[in-house]
Amino acid sequence: MSSSQYQRVIVPPMDEYNQRLVNYVHPGDWVNPKPVDCYDLVVIGAGTAGLVTAAGAAGIGVGLKVALIERHLMGGDCLNVGCVPSKCLIRSSRVVAEMRNAGAFGVKVPDNIEVDFPAVMERMRRLRAGISHHDSAKRFKDTYGIDIFLGNGRFTGDDTIEVNDTTLKFKKAVIATGARAVRPRVEGMEEAGYLTNETVFSLTERPNRLAVIGGGPIGCELAQSFRRLGCEVVLFHRGSHILNKEDADAADIVQKVFLKEGIRLVLGAKLNRVEKTEAGKTLHFNSCTGLEESVTVDEILIGAGRAPNVEGLNLELVGVEYDQRKGVKVNDYLETTNPKIYAAGDICMDWKFTHAADSAARIVIKNTLFSPFGFGKYKLSNLVMPWATYTDPEIAHVGMYEHEAQAKGFNVNTIKIPFSTVDRAIADGEEEGFVKIHHKKGSDQILGATIVATHAGEMISEVTTAIVHKIGLSKLSSVIHPYPTQAEGIKKAADAYRRTLLTPRTKTFLEFLTKLS
């Protein structure tokens, strides 16, 4: 049965770029293969976790038989409705911001900078389509020898999965079905209509007025991008400040930038109802003021949380425990309550990042196929997980926050280097950020770090490497950083630690050495 007979996938607008995308990641003429007698591994879901698991297992070259099932678009959220399209929009929006700020650098630009929104979205679709061949059904079949099945997969027995009336038998299975945007429970919202990350990248015309629900990473990234691309944006958030799970100093910098750029923030927000009128979509809400207010917009974008895709898998039949909010229950080895079945990625993890799904997939490969009798299994808890929020400036973090370290019994010292003391940041006109490193008191052991900078996501890996390989601040201080770079802020933090070692006794000893030299 071809997938087109089962489910034809449409990604609006179906221009040449989205047609190319679909032809790669859910081709309409795809014919599912005849299954082998038994697969060593069957993976349900072809997002990052599923693709890496399947390719990693099949690509080792030891003759493993691997099947991969996908009901919608291979590449999952990251390629189609997440990392790739959002970063394309962010890049366009940063160009606009750089142009508007050009006067501060002695560059004259027209007062009225015109944004061609349809061209911005077309660029995104073109680049996404250009990347999509990496995740294509044909590539995974031809390069890795994986049997690709397009359609809905569900467990039908302790060692069987059904796809489009075809039964696959397996030794081990992996659930990697990911998560989706949470649907809001607000009176009138469904009737008024709304966008999520799964639909916003299909826009071809700019909404002049946009409400964004949710002040977490997704909501903040898109709110700032659309504001810079010419939308009037109002951002609703339940917390007292945006990005409330991040370092408070870091979130405060981004919040001030949002206000400066003209984003209206409604904090302590409680949405009461939405109604569709001739003027647009009117949101009635209470904020921290306690008074009921309203605002009318053209579109509403929901960016408030993710829900795991556990429906339709028949998990009860095979004894896999799950929760509608948290997803599939796994142990530290990513094993479900059925020892034959594992899970990876957004379906089971708090870290809902592409790189986290990739890392989890590598754990699953080891634990399902190369840990006989349970020996040598890898643990999820051993991962040191960095992440970044791609606002401008970005916030990047790794390890523990100060309060987390204290809760675990550490006495914490914190070193903070403002970028106003880093020459390259001054030259770049990017002085608002900082490098903040938490270390164990009386030791150079790094416990965690937060960086706020235009390219903080590029900088955090140095600290991540140090934590993973137990490199302390003393050794980081000896690392030569090119001058001038903003990464020099990390070296300045390490040097600041080294200076704390200059106690009166140490100084006396050094003075003695100079007399002998």
Side-chain angles (χ1 to χ4, degrees), residues 44 152-158 160-162 175 177 309-322 328 338 341:
I44 306 178
N152 280 317
R154 67 186 187 97
F155 291 98
T156 52
D158 194 47
T160 55
I161 294 173
E162 183 181 84
I175 303 167
T177 49
N309 293 320
V310 294
E311 298 82 5
L313 295 172
N314 222 4
L315 298 178
E316 297 87 350
L317 179 68
V318 288
V320 173
E321 294 182 16
Y322 67 93
V328 170
N338 182 328
I341 302 172

Side-chain angles (χ1 to χ4, degrees), residues 41-118:
L41 192 67
V42 174
V43 182
I44 306 178
T48 299
L51 291 175
V52 174
T53 300
I60 292 171
V62 294
L64 295 173
K65 296 174 182 178
V66 179
L68 178 61
I69 302 168
E70 174 54 52
R71 68 180 179 183
H72 192 47
L73 300 175
M74 293 183 65
D77 275 14
C78 182
L79 170 68
N80 299 292
V81 295
C83 310
V84 171
S86 67
K87 301 314 168 280
C88 290
L89 254 63
I90 287 171
R91 183 67 188 102
S92 293
S93 74
R94 283 194 174 191
V95 171
V96 177
E98 288 165 5
M99 293 175 68
R100 287 177 178 153
N101 294 330
F105 298 88
V107 179
K108 293 183 179 180
V109 295
D111 292 334
N112 184 26
I113 298 170
E114 184 178 351
V115 175
D116 186 344
F117 187 82

Side-chain angles (χ1 to χ4, degrees), residues 415-430:
I415 298 171
K416 183 177 179 182
I417 304 297
F419 277 119
S420 58
T421 67
V422 178
D423 293 352
R424 181 57 186 271
I426 295 170
D428 289 340
E430 297 170 358

Side-chain angles (χ1 to χ4, degrees), residues 463-498:
V463 185
T464 306
T465 301
I467 295 175
V468 168
H469 295 287
K470 296 179 171 55
I471 299 170
L473 286 167
S474 291
K475 288 186 178 179
L476 269 188
S477 178
S478 68
V479 174
I480 299 172
H481 291 67
Y483 177 89
T485 59
Q486 292 193 22
E488 191 188 5
I490 297 171
K491 181 174 174 59
K492 282 180 174 286
D495 287 346
Y497 168 76
R498 291 278 294 179

